[in-house]
């Protein structure tokens, strides 16, 4: 089954990129866990935790500008700039943590800066994949392997963060993230060749909106990304509260909870990477929405730690089934000339919805309870499942028709 899982790594440029991003994403997860833990530890408030998380997500509303840059300028150079800026923020956090625990204003500022950097990097990173694998034959596999990088880091980074933070404190965690940026910069500097897509100096955002207006499947994929993002935020935002107040397992337990989610996500990513074509991924997307909704509701009703890890593993797998399937289908549909801008809009809808979701989750947890926030996210995904199931036959036909038209015009 997994004979074709890693076929995109046959391209040397993509292989170097894959390794560098794997190291960098692991460092980012370590830093993200530590920032979330410090925010809740310093404030004792789920709402403050939501504010710090939202500060890192709010700048992602500017992602379309990053997509415009990706279609106008050299994508490799833009990635070098974004990784360099991320390295500076990591070094600043090292200094702050060595001179004392960073206060809430510093945590907010760091999250805001990292969110701005990610707004630039995210659409460029997605568009850059097409430069590396040379055409659409390996594109779906490269997209799945890109998700594998993220979810593999999600499996390794949080448990490692919990152990290192408990044993050595924040400075070492931030230092490891800084070193991971150095590794990513090194891999980008070594990338030569790959199929280059000529930048379009006349690219504008209106072209992407015109394409979306005439491409109904793409609009549904963006809608799916938005609701999934809002439903995901209780898990991403409020797990530190569960770790400290409900399970009483500390930062090590928080890392284990996130790591369990990463195991499920990694398994689902490998399954998706083994597929030879993106056909029928809309079915995986709908099934994943159903399982994710059920796992969130089950998690909210549970107070047993090992069962919580199992439910998060199911949730991680089903989340990947939704997000990676929708991203792959969108990459498969979009023309190369619009790739940066369309993937930026996808990122804006998915990641840019998280500030609203984080604030909503924090407010629900503050007003009612943390489990109620998880229940709300699960119910939203179940509603999305019903909508996708109703639209599924028509959506599948339109995806295939859109792709055939694009191939005929190429």
């Amino acid at each position: 089954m997994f004979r074709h899982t890693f076929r995109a790594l046959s391209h040397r440029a993509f292989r170097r990129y894959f390794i560098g991003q794997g190291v960098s994403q692991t460092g980012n997860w370590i830093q993200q866990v530590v920032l979330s833990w410090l925010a809740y530890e310093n404030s004792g408030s789920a709402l403050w935790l939501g504010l710090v998380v939202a500060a890192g997500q709010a700048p992602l509303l500017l992602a379309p500008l990053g997509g415009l840059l990706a279609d106008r300028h050299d994508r490799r150079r833009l990635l070098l700039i974004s990784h360099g800026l991320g390295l500076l923020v990591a070094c600043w956090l090292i200094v702050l943590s060595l001179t004392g625990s960073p206060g809430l204003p510093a945590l907010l500022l760091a999250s805001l800066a990292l969110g701005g950097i990610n707004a630039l990097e995210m659409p460029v990173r997605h568009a850059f994949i097409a430069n590396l694998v040379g055409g659409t034959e390996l594109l779906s596999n490269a997209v799945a392997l890109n998700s594998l990088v993220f979810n593999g880091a999600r499996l390794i980074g949080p448990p490692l963060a919990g152990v290192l933070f408990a044993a050595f404190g924040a400075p070492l965690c931030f230092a490891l993230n800084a070193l991971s940026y150095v590794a990513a910069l090194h891999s980008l500097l070594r990338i030569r060749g790959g199929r280059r897509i000529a930048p379009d100096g006349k690219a504008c955002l209106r072209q992407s909106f015109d394409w979306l207006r005439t491409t109904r499947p793409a609009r549904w994929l963006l809608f799916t990304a938005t609701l999934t993002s809002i439903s995901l935020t209780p898990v991403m935002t409020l797990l530190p509260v569960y770790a400290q107040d409900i399970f009483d397992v500390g930062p090590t337990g928080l890392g284990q909870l996130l790591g369990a989610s990463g195991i499920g996500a990694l398994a689902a990513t490998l399954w998706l990477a083994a597929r030879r074509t993106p056909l029928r991924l809309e079915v995986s997307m709908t099934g994943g929405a159903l399982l994710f909704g059920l796992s969130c509701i089950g998690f909210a009703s549970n107070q047993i730690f090992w069962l919580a890890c199992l439910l998060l593993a199911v949730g991680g797998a089903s989340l990947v089934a939704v997000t990676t399937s929708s991203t792959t289908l969108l990459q498969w549909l979009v023309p190369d000339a619009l790739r940066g801008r369309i993937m930026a809009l996808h990122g804006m809808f998915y990641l840019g919805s998280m500030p609203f979701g984080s604030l909503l989750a924090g407010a629900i947890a503050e007003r009612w309870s943390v489990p109620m926030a998880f229940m709300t996210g699960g119910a939203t995904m179940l509603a999305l499942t019903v909508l996708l199931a109703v639209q599924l036959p028509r959506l599948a036909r339109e995806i295939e028709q859109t792709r055939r038209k694009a191939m005929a015009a190429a």
Side-chain angles (χ1 to χ4, degrees), residues 78-90 117 181 185 188:
L78 291 172
L79 286 174
L80 286 169
I81 292 171
S82 65
H83 283 307
L85 293 173
L87 175 60
L88 290 177
V89 174
I117 294 168
Y181 275 119
L185 287 167
L188 286 169

Side-chain angles (χ1 to χ4, degrees), residues 123-283:
V124 180
R125 188 173 66 242
H126 282 296
F128 189 54
I129 293 173
N131 293 61
L132 299 176
V133 297
T136 59
E137 181 183 353
L138 293 176
L139 184 57
S140 62
N141 180 249
V143 171
L145 290 179
N146 190 54
S147 178
L148 177 64
V149 166
F150 177 82
N151 289 301
R154 180 180 170 187
L155 173 62
I156 298 170
L160 185 60
V163 172
L164 293 176
F165 181 74
F168 303 104
L172 178 63
C173 296
F174 294 141
L176 288 175
N177 186 45
L179 289 174
S180 77
Y181 275 119
V182 173
L185 287 167
H186 176 69
S187 70
L188 286 169
L189 288 171
R190 293 188 64 202
I191 289 176
R192 294 290 185 270
R195 187 174 69 93
R196 287 190 51 81
I197 299 172
D200 181 3
K202 297 181 180 180
C204 65
L205 292 176
R206 181 178 177 179
Q207 294 168 329
S208 57
F209 289 112
D210 288 342
W211 184 78
L212 285 174
R213 189 171 58 251
T214 59
T215 313
R216 182 176 176 272
R219 296 197 302 273
W220 266 99
L221 293 172
L222 294 181
F223 175 72
T224 299
T226 302
L227 284 191
T228 303
S229 173
I230 293 172
S231 303
L232 168 65
T233 46
V235 180
M236 298 297 295
T237 304
L238 298 176
L239 271 185
V241 183
Y242 260 91
Q244 181 161 313
D245 295 346
I246 296 178
F247 295 127
D248 192 26
V249 291
T252 302
L254 173 61
Q256 292 171 352
L257 289 169
L258 289 169
S261 177
I263 290 174
L266 185 63
T269 304
L270 287 170
W271 177 74
L272 288 169
R275 295 172 59 95
R276 301 200 66 175
T277 73
L279 297 176
R280 303 297 290 168
L281 281 179
E282 64 277 357
V283 178

Side-chain angles (χ1 to χ4, degrees), residues 93 95-103:
L93 287 170
V95 173
L96 288 179
S97 58
L98 286 173
T99 57
S101 179

